[in-house]
Amino acid sequence: MPKHDAVASEIAEIRSTYIRDRFAFVPGAQLTGIVKELGATDDDLDNLATVSDGLKSDPTLPFRKTRTGRFGFDPRSMRVRRLEFQPFMLSMEDDFVRHDSGRVRVFDEIRNDLQLNTALQALFVFKFMVFDGVPVTHRPKLDYDSDQWICTLLNVRTTTEGDLIGEPALEGVHSDGVDHTMTTYLGSENMTDDSAVTFLHDMREVNGTRWHDTNADLVRAEAQHRDFLDTCLIVDHESKHSVSTLYAADRSKRATRDLLAFLTRKPVAEGHHSHSFDSLDPHRELPMTADLLRLDGAPSA
């Protein structure tokens, strides 16, 4: 448990909101206090704000720089660990409609500057404490008999510069093919106040619809990441989401937006498009393990 009952109570309230609404937004100031109680140091919080400066180019999107890593939540050992490198794919079957749907993508890997950061590890702990034991609508071809969870972590910088327009979600209305999505804001430069608004849509909304063409009657909620560590949590297979365009406040200068996306699901079952690359083996070259915590009275699913 966290050091102080007040922090445990805060996380329990967030969890209750998540269970009730299937969505929760946590202001960055609140989450900063929580992750510090979960072990994040001030130096590592500062380092987390600038870690995106080391990102590489994205394999399919010219306005984005990205690194990814796979991590496993193990409720038996109560540890999160780095998993070995595997390719990445989202398909139309996952409610993801884009020019690269169904394409196997190979990203540059997240390095120790991120995975060994105590603030990042505290975010893993926080997410586990929120979603652990929360029942969700099952996705096809995921193994819900397994007690393991796989989390793909994406560190993403979206850029708008000149004729290059940054779209935090070029795919429009979509889901992430997982059970629990969490997005955490790290910072931005030269971003307008109306940029990158996240919209939560009813499952009846059409996949691939641009954010400005959606049916307003099917919008369930909206939120905007503006402050360091502002975080959204979404039960991914019970709603869809979209994100508006990144606009430059000064059009003569580059605009950037940095984010962490934690995409967490059960391991895939046979017949899933990712079955051949969904290993639970640890990463040999970039090992990382950290202890998890569970709220009292929160059963593991």
Side-chain angles (χ1 to χ4, degrees):
M1 290 294 293
K3 297 177 183 177
H4 302 295
D5 290 342
V7 174
S9 178
E10 281 188 82
I11 298 173
E13 288 184 14
I14 293 166
R15 175 184 166 88
S16 295
T17 299
Y18 188 61
I19 292 171
R20 183 190 68 229
D21 298 339
R22 323 309 279 172
F23 166 83
F25 180 81
V26 186
Q30 179 183 11
L31 192 54
T32 297
I34 289 172
V35 296
K36 288 178 74 170
E37 292 294 345
L38 295 176
T41 66
D42 288 334
D43 284 346
D44 276 353
L45 284 164
D46 290 341
N47 292 334
L48 192 64
T50 60
V51 72
S52 304
D53 292 342
L55 293 176
K56 297 290 188 178
S57 59
D58 187 277
T60 58
L61 300 177
F63 52 78
R64 201 162 82 166
K65 293 184 177 181
T66 315
R67 287 186 184 272
T68 68
R70 299 171 66 253
F71 296 83
F73 292 106
D74 182 357
R76 280 175 285 174
S77 66
M78 288 300 289
R79 304 276 282 175
V80 57
R81 67 183 183 276
R82 181 75 180 267
L83 302 179
E84 69 176 344
F85 170 80
Q86 302 269 259
F88 181 81
M89 181 194 298
L90 285 174
S91 72
M92 293 184 184
E93 188 178 12
D94 298 313
D95 299 319
F96 185 85
V97 179
R98 204 168 72 184
H99 69 281
D100 53 357
S101 294
R103 183 186 302 183
V104 176
R105 288 183 277 165
V106 177
F107 293 91
D108 287 289
E109 292 193 80
I110 282 169
R111 304 170 301 179
N112 283 337
D113 61 343
L114 179 54
Q115 73 166 3
L116 299 184
N117 183 296
T118 58
L120 184 279
Q121 293 178 2
L123 286 168
F124 277 131
V125 176
F126 166 76
K127 181 174 185 181
F128 182 79
M129 294 176 77
V130 172
F131 83 75
D132 177 43
V134 174
V136 298
T137 300
H138 288 188
R139 281 191 173 275
K141 302 177 183 177
L142 296 187
D143 182 7
Y144 290 95
D145 291 330
S146 173
D147 62 354
Q148 302 296 296
W149 295 91
I150 294 175
C151 178
T152 298
L153 174 65
L154 293 90
N155 182 193
V156 179
R157 169 170 287 177
T158 304
T159 299
T160 289
E161 187 171 19
D163 294 334
L164 185 67
I165 305 301
E167 294 288 352
L170 180 65
E171 60 274 13
V173 173
H174 68 287
S175 296
D176 291 313
V178 297
D179 296 299
H180 303 280
T181 291
M182 185 172 93
T183 54
T184 298
Y185 177 79
L186 299 183
S188 64
E189 292 183 3
N190 195 35
M191 184 176 79
T192 63
D193 290 340
D194 60 347
S195 287
V197 178
T198 297
F199 299 94
L200 197 69
H201 306 274
D202 186 276
M203 288 294 285
R204 292 172 292 171
E205 185 58 90
V206 177
N207 295 335
T209 305
R210 294 297 304 277
W211 62 271
H212 48 70
D213 292 327
T214 57
N215 183 343
D217 293 336
L218 299 180
V219 175
R220 294 176 49 196
E222 65 179 80
Q224 188 182 35
H225 299 76
R226 288 294 308 182
D227 297 316
F228 179 61
L229 294 193
D230 277 357
T231 292
C232 282
L233 299 111
I234 302 170
V235 178
D236 188 62
H237 195 43
E238 297 183 16
S239 63
K240 302 175 184 179
H241 53 280
S242 65
V243 187
S244 65
T245 305
L246 170 64
Y247 300 110
D250 182 344
R251 296 185 182 182
S252 68
K253 298 179 181 179
R254 182 182 70 164
T256 62
R257 175 179 182 262
D258 300 338
L259 197 79
L260 296 174
F262 302 75
L263 310 182
T264 306
R265 58 166 172 76
K266 288 295 187 180
V268 302
E270 188 172 355
H272 191 280
H273 58 75
S274 295
H275 188 255
S276 63
F277 40 87
D278 201 44
S279 168
L280 286 167
D281 292 338
H283 202 302
R284 294 184 179 180
E285 293 77 26
L286 292 167
M288 185 281 277
T289 60
D291 291 331
L292 294 172
L293 296 170
R294 178 176 287 139
L295 285 171
D296 288 343
S300 178

